[in-house]
Amino acid sequence: MRTTIGWRASGPTALRRTSLERRDLRSDDLAVRVDYCGVCHTDLHSLRDHDQHAKAPLVPGHEFTGVVTGTGAEVTAFSVGDRVAVGNIVDSCGTCAMCRAGQENFCHSFPTLTYGGTDRRDGSTTLGAFSREYVVRDRFAYPLPSGLDPAAAAPLMCAGVTVWEPLRSLGVGSGSRVAVAGLGGLGHLAVKMAVALGATTTVISRTQEKRDDALRLGAHDLLDSTDTRQMAATRDTFDVVIDTISASHDLAPYLKVVAMDGTLSLLGYLGPVTVEAMDLLVGRKKLSSAGSGGRRSTAEMLQFCADNGIAADVEVLPSAQVETALDRLRRNDVRYRFVLDMSDLD
């Protein structure tokens, strides 16, 4: 086994620095020195729900960048010293219809998650990238394009690909009218990507205070969701509405601003929802969702971001301040993504 240092859950809001074990390199593995790891709402939920008496430890972190420090005997696509990025999926069955279609994120036997997942070969629980080293199957590591800053690129591997998938699958491009509901970790990247794809892009927010930020990110307008006149004036307007709001909310106002044959893509809140059929019927509107991305889509997203100068707006903190980052994220006190610098684990 390989030994590294990382941050292990010691309570619903606490982590402690400790020694962690990684597997010895298999023939198709990479050892990656983790340099930067994003902090996601999923980390908050995982810590909250973790059973402290469980046999397997919890080490969060599933969007990271770093440098290859070792390769398995059969690895040909990577060499020691290469910059790489890894997201929230580190393996899949590779044989089901979804995997064959390049949608490993929808693997019929469920993809292996970067942490809290079950390794497909030895049955161990995967430990995340709040650590100095990660061992990953080479197929699920991606070359980090030279034009991308490694700290700002880390959130692309979760938040970025999550919004990229629906934008691409719904055909957003020049002439499209896109609205992004919620301007947070997901939303700010959705705005940047939609604009770069050529769409006329509007942010929908509960407050006008975010107008300046929305325009700085490239949006063409901001729509106040609490202003019934503004919402009524934009009825049947948007071809695609990317809903990144993380809390349970009424979908009806957002469906009303979707254009005929358009789609509301629900990304932020993945719990039960209630929809009036008439809100879909009038205008032949569609409700969809998405999550993460397959290998092909993830690689495409990274190159698109490099080509268009897109990265997350981040606040970088030393990993020793992980609890501060989580507490502030819980209070939505971040514009727009925390990233941990793991070098203090040396």
Side-chain angles (χ1 to χ4, degrees):
M1 300 294 285
R2 303 169 68 94
T3 301
T4 189
I5 301 296
W7 296 97
R8 173 180 175 170
S10 58
T13 61
L15 297 100
R16 63 182 175 88
R17 177 172 168 152
T18 188
S19 177
L20 304 171
E21 287 190 339
R22 299 291 188 193
R23 65 177 180 259
D24 290 326
L25 296 188
R26 299 166 182 158
S27 61
D28 58 351
D29 274 342
L30 304 177
V32 178
R33 184 192 72 213
V34 180
D35 290 329
Y36 298 99
C37 185
V39 182
C40 177
H41 271 282
T42 300
D43 303 325
L44 282 176
H45 302 323
S46 297
L47 284 164
R48 179 196 64 198
D49 297 338
H50 180 59
D51 180 0
Q52 299 302 315
H53 303 291
K55 289 181 63 176
L58 172 66
V59 178
H62 65 196
E63 50 181 39
F64 67 93
T65 58
V67 173
V68 176
T69 57
T71 62
E74 297 178 7
V75 173
T76 59
F78 297 94
S79 300
V80 171
D82 287 350
R83 302 191 331 154
V84 293
V86 178
N88 64 341
I89 295 171
V90 292
D91 207 355
S92 71
C93 78
T95 60
C96 71
M98 287 297 183
C99 287
R100 294 197 307 273
Q103 294 286 173
E104 292 86 354
N105 51 319
F106 302 139
C107 177
H108 286 176
S109 60
F110 202 77
T112 303
L113 300 180
T114 309
Y115 71 87
T118 302
D119 184 272
R120 307 182 94 83
R121 301 191 202 181
D122 64 18
S124 63
T125 299
T126 55
L127 306 180
F130 284 6
S131 63
R132 192 51 163 157
E133 181 179 83
Y134 196 94
V135 174
V136 62
R137 189 180 179 194
D138 61 346
R139 286 164 53 86
F140 289 86
Y142 304 86
L144 183 65
S146 59
L148 289 176
D149 173 76
L156 296 178
M157 300 308 296
C158 176
V161 73
T162 294
V163 297
W164 174 254
E165 278 255 310
L167 288 170
R168 293 299 281 159
S169 65
L170 296 173
V172 169
S174 180
S176 298
R177 298 162 298 174
V178 172
V180 177
L183 194 60
L186 291 173
H188 88 288
L189 285 171
V191 170
K192 292 184 179 186
M193 290 179 181
V195 170
L197 287 166
T200 300
T201 305
T202 298
V203 169
I204 304 179
S205 176
R206 291 177 298 177
T207 172
Q208 286 285 343
E209 292 176 2
K210 291 192 175 182
R211 174 175 292 278
D212 288 346
D213 241 11
L215 298 180
R216 177 185 60 81
L217 293 166
H220 302 88
D221 199 5
L222 181 138
L223 179 62
D224 185 345
S225 61
T226 67
D227 188 324
T228 55
R229 291 185 179 181
Q230 283 190 38
M231 295 293 282
T234 51
R235 181 172 177 174
D236 303 328
T237 293
F238 301 107
D239 304 304
V240 174
V241 176
I242 302 292
D243 185 344
T244 71
I245 301 168
S246 60
S248 176
H249 57 285
D250 184 8
L251 300 187
Y254 301 97
L255 280 168
K256 283 182 170 59
V257 300
V258 173
M260 186 169 72
D261 293 320
T263 301
L264 171 63
S265 184
L266 190 61
L267 306 182
Y269 177 72
L270 301 181
V273 297
T274 300
V275 178
E276 293 290 341
M278 289 297 293
D279 288 333
L280 297 172
L281 183 154
V282 178
R284 294 194 300 264
K285 300 175 183 184
K286 296 177 280 292
L287 176 64
S288 73
S289 188
S292 190
R295 293 171 58 236
R296 184 187 310 138
S297 178
T298 302
E300 179 190 53
M301 178 273 302
L302 279 172
Q303 191 58 57
F304 179 85
C305 288
D307 292 344
N308 290 275
I310 296 173
D313 287 13
V314 299
E315 182 177 341
V316 180
L317 298 175
S319 77
Q321 294 184 30
V322 59
E323 292 180 7
T324 297
L326 289 164
D327 179 63
R328 287 181 55 194
L329 178 61
R330 191 177 294 109
R331 294 183 281 112
N332 292 318
D333 178 26
V334 59
R335 294 287 179 90
Y336 282 98
R337 201 77 161 186
F338 284 117
V339 170
L340 302 178
D341 180 344
M342 314 307 296
S343 63
D344 64 350
L345 292 178
D346 288 340

